[in-house]
């Protein structure tokens, strides 16, 4: 079964600085999709970024980018120029068929 | 456009009482449907996954069951709630067969078993 591991329960970053959230996954498949979701205190689930496994180029969305290492089964999220509104729980997710989530990382942003 | 409805938003139930949470999707057909549970400050645990009417995969042995009586309706049930069933329940859907597309989530149900 596919598993997703987020080894950082909590992270802190100073406003305007850069932070990287880690994610590893386990799969025997070669074609799949990876996602990062943000969950603010409202508990709404917001898609941050997606990555197709067949694409070597790392996905970017404004201040958010990923470092996708397929052989290492690693999918980290980098947030640049952190803002107070980035404070939330962040989930890494894997999808081939069903969508499986990691345990999440709480990100705190200090002003 | 597609929308997802989940209700109720909050629920307080006594131990041993039954449970029924409902989720419906509009604007699409043959969606994949999901039920997740999130304990306080914790991750999303996949409870049930369905690719079609009557086709439900149970991911975690538990006190809960799910049914899909119609293409766009997904119901989470329990005959007798336990204290450990408390949590935040999220329904979600993804387009059937389109792996690239992300999941779309309902607003969630906060269940407290007392």
């Amino acid at each position: 079964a596919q598993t997703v591991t987020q080894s950082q329960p909590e992270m802190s970053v100073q406003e305007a600085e850069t932070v990287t959230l880690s994610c590893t996954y386990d799969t025997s498949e070669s074609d799949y999709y990876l996602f990062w979701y943000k969950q603010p205190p409202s508990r709404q689930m917001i898609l941050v970024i997606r990555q197709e496994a067949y694409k070597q180029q790392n996905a970017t969305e404004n201040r958010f980018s990923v470092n996708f290492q397929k052989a290492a089964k690693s999918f980290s999220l980098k947030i640049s120029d952190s803002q107070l509104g980035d404070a939330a729980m962040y989930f890494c997710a894997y999808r081939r068929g069903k969508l499986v989530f990691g345990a999440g990382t709480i990100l705190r942003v200090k002003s | 456009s597609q929308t997802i409805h989940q209700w109720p938003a909050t629920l307080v139930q006594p131990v041993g009482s039954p449970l029924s949470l409902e989720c419906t999707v509009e604007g699409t057909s043959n969606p994949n449907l999901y039920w997740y549970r999130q304990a306080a400050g914790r991750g999303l645990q996949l409870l049930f996954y369905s690719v079609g009417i009557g086709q439900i995969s149970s991911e975690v042995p538990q006190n809960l069951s799910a049914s899909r009586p119609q293409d766009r309706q997904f119901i989470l049930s329990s005959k007798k709630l336990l204290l450990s069933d408390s949590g935040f329940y999220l329904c979600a859907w993804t387009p059937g067969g389109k792996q690239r597309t992300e999941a779309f989530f309902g607003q969630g149900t906060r269940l407290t078993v007392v």
Side-chain angles (χ1 to χ4, degrees):
Chain A
Q2 296 86 5
T3 58
V4 178
T5 301
Q6 292 179 250
S7 58
Q8 306 155 316
E10 288 191 29
M11 292 284 284
S12 292
V13 63
Q14 199 70 32
E15 198 174 3
E17 297 295 312
T18 296
V19 65
T20 298
L21 308 184
S22 301
C23 172
T24 59
Y25 57 94
D26 184 27
T27 184
S28 58
E29 305 289 345
S30 60
D31 189 18
Y32 48 87
Y33 294 83
L34 298 165
F35 306 88
W36 278 98
Y37 281 85
K38 171 184 177 181
Q39 188 185 46
S42 67
R43 297 252 193 164
Q44 179 185 5
M45 294 293 288
I46 302 167
L47 177 69
V48 174
I49 200 165
R50 71 164 65 88
Q51 174 79 43
E52 293 90 339
Y54 63 84
K55 289 187 176 179
Q56 293 184 341
Q57 185 175 6
N58 290 324
T60 61
E61 288 287 343
N62 301 315
R63 298 182 295 106
F64 299 87
S65 62
V66 298
N67 183 4
F68 174 49
Q69 301 291 326
K70 190 172 184 179
K73 299 179 183 177
S74 172
F75 182 59
S76 60
L77 175 70
K78 185 171 79 171
I79 306 174
S80 304
D81 186 25
S82 296
Q83 301 174 359
L84 294 177
D86 295 333
M89 179 170 275
Y90 286 81
F91 291 102
C92 177
Y94 165 101
R95 183 181 178 201
R96 179 179 166 87
K98 62 187 177 184
L99 180 64
V100 178
F101 286 85
T105 297
I106 297 172
L107 178 65
R108 305 187 192 283
V109 181
K110 302 176 182 177
S111 59
Chain B
S1 63
Q2 303 94 346
T3 56
I4 178 170
H5 302 281
Q6 182 183 344
W7 68 92
T10 59
L11 193 59
V12 180
Q13 292 284 97
V15 169
S17 63
L19 172 72
S20 180
L21 302 181
E22 188 164 344
C23 173
T24 59
V25 180
E26 296 178 355
T28 189
S29 59
N30 301 316
N32 296 328
L33 296 171
Y34 306 79
W35 277 112
Y36 293 93
R37 177 169 60 197
Q38 184 178 24
R42 304 291 296 278
L44 291 169
Q45 179 185 36
L46 179 60
L47 301 176
F48 298 97
Y49 168 59
S50 174
V51 298
I53 296 174
Q55 298 175 272
I56 297 170
S57 171
S58 176
E59 300 297 318
V60 180
Q62 62 218 328
N63 185 41
L64 303 169
S65 62
S67 61
R68 185 171 176 173
Q70 300 180 40
D71 181 47
R72 291 170 290 177
Q73 184 185 28
F74 206 23
I75 298 172
L76 182 69
S77 303
S78 173
K79 292 182 179 178
K80 291 184 179 182
L81 284 169
L82 305 173
L83 288 174
S84 58
D85 291 323
S86 294
F88 187 68
Y89 289 81
L90 277 167
C91 179
W93 74 275
T94 55
K98 296 182 180 179
Q99 300 289 330
R100 182 181 183 273
T101 309
E102 72 274 20
F104 301 91
F105 289 83
Q107 293 302 305
T109 297
R110 187 181 304 275
L111 171 66
T112 304
V113 182
V114 296

